[in-house]
């Protein structure tokens, strides 16, 4: 039997009619018989095109407020019968079951209904039963049946039936079936996640992945699965790369720590902040952040917690950078930043980020809740005889926010709400501290009167001793070491203030 089949009959039952008319008209030109229900049936009739009500096929009305319309052996037999199976052919004749070659159906908008904040009753009513059953049946029988499972596939179907005069190949039908199973599995995942309260079960479905130029390196394939356009409005520049996206993610999470605070500007490289400052104006915040490490800032990702004005843009324009992100820009600022054709300019929208973090691990995945704790004054417990000043407390909290968003092991030095230096991703905390001291010295910063943040406790007093010798006067750390007292004793002997937060901020 030929694998190429001509569509002679179609069952159409859709929630959204947008884009349906040209398909119906083209199929009508090709003498296709239509079967339909409810609103779709009326839609086809209003086009002046004949349509057979499903009730005429089943001899059964739509019941239970429309919950049961197409769920009938004559409908599903017409979809699921195997045209090369002798027994199926005989039963089709015996029970007077019409052949259905094409099924066009979409699903009730469950996800949109949930997102709208609708009541549980309204959400439950948007769980599609008949539609999902029709999709699965037609997709299963792709050898004989064409399934179009969403509005997104209408244009593909119209092109196909126009170019091939209503005929489809096995390859065509299998491709539509694949897309249909994607639609059904995504839909079921959304419903499950609405009901699920068991954190030990993980299901996620994200469609329409964006193909990237490559992955972390040119020989690796790269894809982004997510709604980038919901988070950002892209004003200018080239396409974002895999590494750009990782840096943007790090930048967004870091600047979130300073939301609704005074003008704050951060510069990131390889997921870590190389410059960050809070000032009275965005221009001053940028210039101070840049001074923290102008070498690493080259080719970095820049992000602000507020509007970028013309004066700030003029300073930014002097630096080669990959990405600039802000919640808003002055028109003149945009014009200045667009002078570099490849520079990516993003407007960050106020979108809630996921509360779960997912990454591959071995032959599976790791899932954890997001680190949503930001250290503040209420969390601080002074454990030394010397109490930090108000200025030191502000700097300690500032440093802790940076530390939380820097790769472990990490040490962060800050002064006057400015990132002075950091040691990042080291295999020992002492090495991280030494790296930070060396970096501060390289760029001519005095650590006298600066504060230090650590992402985890000090197992020995060597870190506070090195910090004190460098000029550090106050320390913030989670505490929790069985040898905490040794570090406390050293701080007491040398009049260094130290506070515990009780919260570790590892970032691997």
């Amino acid at each position: 039997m030929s694998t190429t089949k001509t569509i002679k009959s179609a069952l159409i039952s859709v929630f959204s009619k947008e884009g349906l008319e040209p398909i119906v008209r083209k199929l009508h030109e090709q003498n296709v018989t239509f079967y339909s229900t409810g609103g779709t049936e009326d839609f086809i009739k209003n086009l002046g095109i004949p349509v057979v009500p499903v009730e005429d096929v089943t001899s059964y009305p739509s019941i239970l407020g429309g919950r049961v319309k197409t769920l009938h052996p004559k409908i599903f037999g017409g979809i699921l019968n195997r045209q090369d199976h002798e027994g199926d052919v005989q039963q089709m004749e015996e029970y007077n079951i019409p052949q259905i070659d094409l099924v066009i159906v979409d699903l009730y908008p469950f996800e949109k209904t949930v997102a709208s904040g609708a009541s549980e009753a309204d959400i439950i009513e948007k769980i599609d039963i008949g539609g999902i059953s029709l999709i699965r049946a037609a997709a299963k029988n792709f050898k004989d049946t064409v399934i179009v499972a969403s509005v997104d596939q209408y244009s593909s179907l119209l092109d196909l039936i126009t170019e091939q005069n209503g005929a489809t190949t096995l390859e065509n039908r299998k491709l539509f079936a694949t897309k249909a199973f994607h639609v059904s599995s995504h839909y079921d995942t959304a419903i499950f996640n609405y009901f699920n309260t068991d954190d030990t079960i993980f299901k996620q479905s994200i469609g329409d992945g964006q193909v990237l130029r490559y992955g972390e390196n040119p020989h690796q394939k790269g894809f982004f699965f997510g709604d980038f356009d919901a988070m950002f409005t892209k004003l200018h520049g080239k396409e974002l790369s895999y590494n750009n996206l990782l840096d943007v993610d790090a930048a967004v999470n870091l600047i979130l720590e300073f939301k609704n605070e005074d003008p704050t500007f951060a510069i990131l490289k390889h997921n870590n902040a190389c410059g960050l400052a809070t000032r009275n104006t965005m221009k001053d915040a940028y210039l101070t952040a840049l001074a923290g490490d102008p070498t690493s800032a080259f080719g970095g990702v820049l992000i602000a917690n507020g509007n970028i004005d013309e004066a700030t843009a003029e300073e930014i324009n002097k630096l080669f950078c990959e990405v600039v992100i802000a919640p808003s820009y002055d028109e003149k600022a945009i014009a200045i930043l667009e002078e570099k054709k490849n520079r990516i300019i993003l407007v960050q929208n106020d979108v809630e980020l996921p509360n779960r973090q997912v990454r591959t691990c071995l032959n599976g995945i790791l899932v954890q809740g997001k680190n949503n704790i930001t250290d503040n004054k209420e969390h601080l417990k002074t454990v030394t005889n010397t109490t930090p000043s108000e200025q030191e407390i502000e700097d300690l909290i500032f440093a802790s926010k940076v530390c939380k968003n820097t790769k472990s092991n990490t040490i962060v030095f800050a002064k006057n709400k400015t990132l002075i230096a950091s040691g990042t991703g080291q295999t020992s905390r002492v090495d991280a501290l030494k790296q930070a001291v060396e970096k501060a010295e390289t760029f001519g910063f005095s650590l006298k009167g600066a504060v230090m943040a650590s992402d985890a406790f000090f197992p020995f007093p060597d870190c506070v001793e090195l910090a004190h010798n460098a000029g550090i006067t106050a320390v913030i750390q989670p505490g929790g070491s069985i040898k905490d007292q040794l570090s406390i004793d050293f701080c007491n002997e040398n009049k260094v203030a130290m506070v515990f937060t009780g919260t570790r901020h590892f970032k691997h």
Side-chain angles (χ1 to χ4, degrees), residues 4 13 17 48 71 73 81 140 179 252 254 266-267 341 345 362 365 393 476 482:
T4 298
S13 180
K17 315 300 186 295
L71 295 169
N81 74 92
K140 176 178 179 176
K179 293 178 178 179
V252 166
L254 174 59
I267 305 172
K341 68 176 184 178
I345 306 172
L362 302 176
I365 60 171
I393 289 174
I476 184 171
I482 59 174

Side-chain angles (χ1 to χ4, degrees), residues 471-504:
I472 297 298
T473 57
V475 178
I476 184 171
Q477 59 135 318
S481 169
I482 59 174
K483 295 183 179 180
D484 274 342
Q485 194 59 47
L486 295 177
S487 295
I488 294 171
D489 289 344
F490 179 89
C491 289
N492 284 334
E493 291 166 7
N494 293 277
K495 294 182 171 55
V496 175
M498 185 159 63
V499 297
F500 285 1
T501 64
T503 303
R504 188 180 73 183

